Amino acid sequence: MSARDHAWWQRGVIYQIYPRSFQDSNGDGVGDLPGITARLDYLAALGVDSIWISPIYPSPMADFGYDVSDYCDIDPLFGTLADFDRLIAAAHTRGLRVILDFVPNHSSDRHPWFIESRSSRHNPKRDWYVWRDPKPDGSPPSNWLSEFGGPAWTFDATTGQYYYHAYLKEQPDLNWRHPEVRRAMLDVLRFWFDRGVDGFRVDAIHHLIEDEWLRDNPPNPEWRPGSSPARAVIRVHTMDQPEVHDAITAMRRIADGYPDRVMIGEAYLPIERLMPYYGRDLSGFQLPFNFHLLSTAWTPQAIAELVQTYEAALPPGGWPNWVLGNHDRSRLVSRLGAAQARVAAMLLLTLRGTPTIYQGEEIGMRDVPIPLERVQDPWERNVPGLGLGRDPVRTPLRWEAGPGAGFTAGDPWLPVGDEDTDLTVAAQSRDPRSLFALYQALLRLRRCEQALSVGSISAVSARGDILTFEREWGGRKLAVALNFGGAAETVILPRPSRTLLTSLADIDVATSEKELRLRPHEAIIVAYA
């Protein structure tokens, strides 16, 4: 058995593109599909295997594409369906798969379905959304709270009822208990699969269905002022309902009707509640996103425990995956520092499972401070001052030095920042010791070493500031050692080894060592002799 007997989404690496900020082709300050197409050679040279593109559908942009007004078209801001077809063809020519975002939980309030639904209590699409009468005192039907602040119910005077929205009031929730809604949304998957899409990342899947009886969520005794207002209650009746899994199975059934497709689910859940998203007999998502590296303490002990717990929890045949950054969370360098970002890259790309890289991680981009007058994120606007805004992690990719950072010839929709000019793709592509060069080397090594791409993991251990583990495939065994600390440490290996890659990329290590001396913030991959 070889790595080729595994699916592409098992042996490969996913690269997330936030399209507004990847590459602008027409000077309007916003990234677009022709811009992505123009940069495909960069992605192929980096060494990733697939690209996941955040929403590009027609949208009023109340939540920057996550409020969809037409699920089967492209927003003119990003281009046309013809541009999309060209992107798919160009990506496939380069051996890159294309994954789209699917936003099934809610539409835009300007979607024709919702416009019909709110027009009358008797409209055929009335029950395509979640409508309820007020309480006798006129207040909302329950105490449910919006993820973006305020009540999750908005009163509509036209029909005298409230509609439910887990996010903005401009994002009414679809009623997935309605069979016509389910059929229409599954047809959306077919539309894009027919155009050659290789898979979907399914947004906010744990919000898809709410408690049928609209029971109040209990208060959260651990919530404190200054944290997200939505966490003031424990969301037992608005998240992770049992009926969600039937909907996931239906989505997977559509995907399985096409060869070699993947379904990825976004659900921020504890590990034990995440595992059911693989589905009974693996009939659910192939990859329920594992976000736990984003919140686990950055210590060898905590990460060793996380890896062991996650691996032990996986259902038989379930494939793991790992994430260290995305368009919603503070950037890796801002969280961990530049030195540990190199260690983090080594960890992400050597753990067992499918890794996802967020655009800009490969050059060490940081969170960019956003002046108050430039704030775009509705979450920050709704609950200002709490630091919940996601604009700092969504700023344009820094291709080169200069006012538009090589991203645009116009005025960028968010500031590009005044980071060190070395933190650009152009500069790092020329530097063999750059973070970009490390990512490139790691991705090459994963392609060459089946132990890293599809092998088993064992001997996960933490001692002091050192995390170690082993990867094995077909008798070929590699060891990974990562130094999380600022002092040199020694690692004793069970037998002599040959160094394959060091995160510091500036020395050759002797070829038959059992004792490895790791410098501060250094990670090493070795092959046993």
Side-chain angles (χ1 to χ4, degrees), residues 352-370:
R352 188 176 86 96
T354 304
T356 298
I357 299 169
Y358 176 49
Q359 67 178 47
E361 278 179 14
E362 72 274 21
I363 61 169
M365 282 183 62
R366 308 182 184 104
D367 295 353
V368 174
I370 307 297

Side-chain angles (χ1 to χ4, degrees), residues 265-327:
E266 183 205 29
Y268 285 89
L269 292 170
I271 287 174
E272 69 276 8
R273 289 169 59 192
L274 184 64
M275 293 302 109
Y277 285 75
Y278 282 97
R280 184 173 298 173
D281 299 323
L282 302 183
S283 61
F285 292 129
Q286 289 106 320
L287 298 175
F289 259 147
N290 169 17
F291 296 115
H292 286 269
L293 277 178
L294 289 165
S295 55
T296 297
W298 193 251
T299 67
Q301 293 73 23
I303 292 174
E305 182 179 352
L306 167 63
V307 173
Q308 292 163 347
T309 300
Y310 179 61
E311 285 280 349
L314 288 166
W319 191 252
N321 68 92
W322 297 93
V323 176
L324 267 173
N326 61 30
H327 62 293

Side-chain angles (χ1 to χ4, degrees), residues 57-58 66-74 102-108 111 113 129 172 174 184-185 188 191-192:
Y57 313 109
Y66 285 96
D67 50 319
V68 179
S69 57
D70 184 345
Y71 286 98
C72 296
D73 205 348
I74 302 294
F102 180 48
V103 188
N105 180 69
H106 49 263
S107 75
S108 166
H111 196 294
W113 298 345
Y129 294 83
L174 286 157
M185 293 302 284
V188 170
F191 175 86
W192 293 105

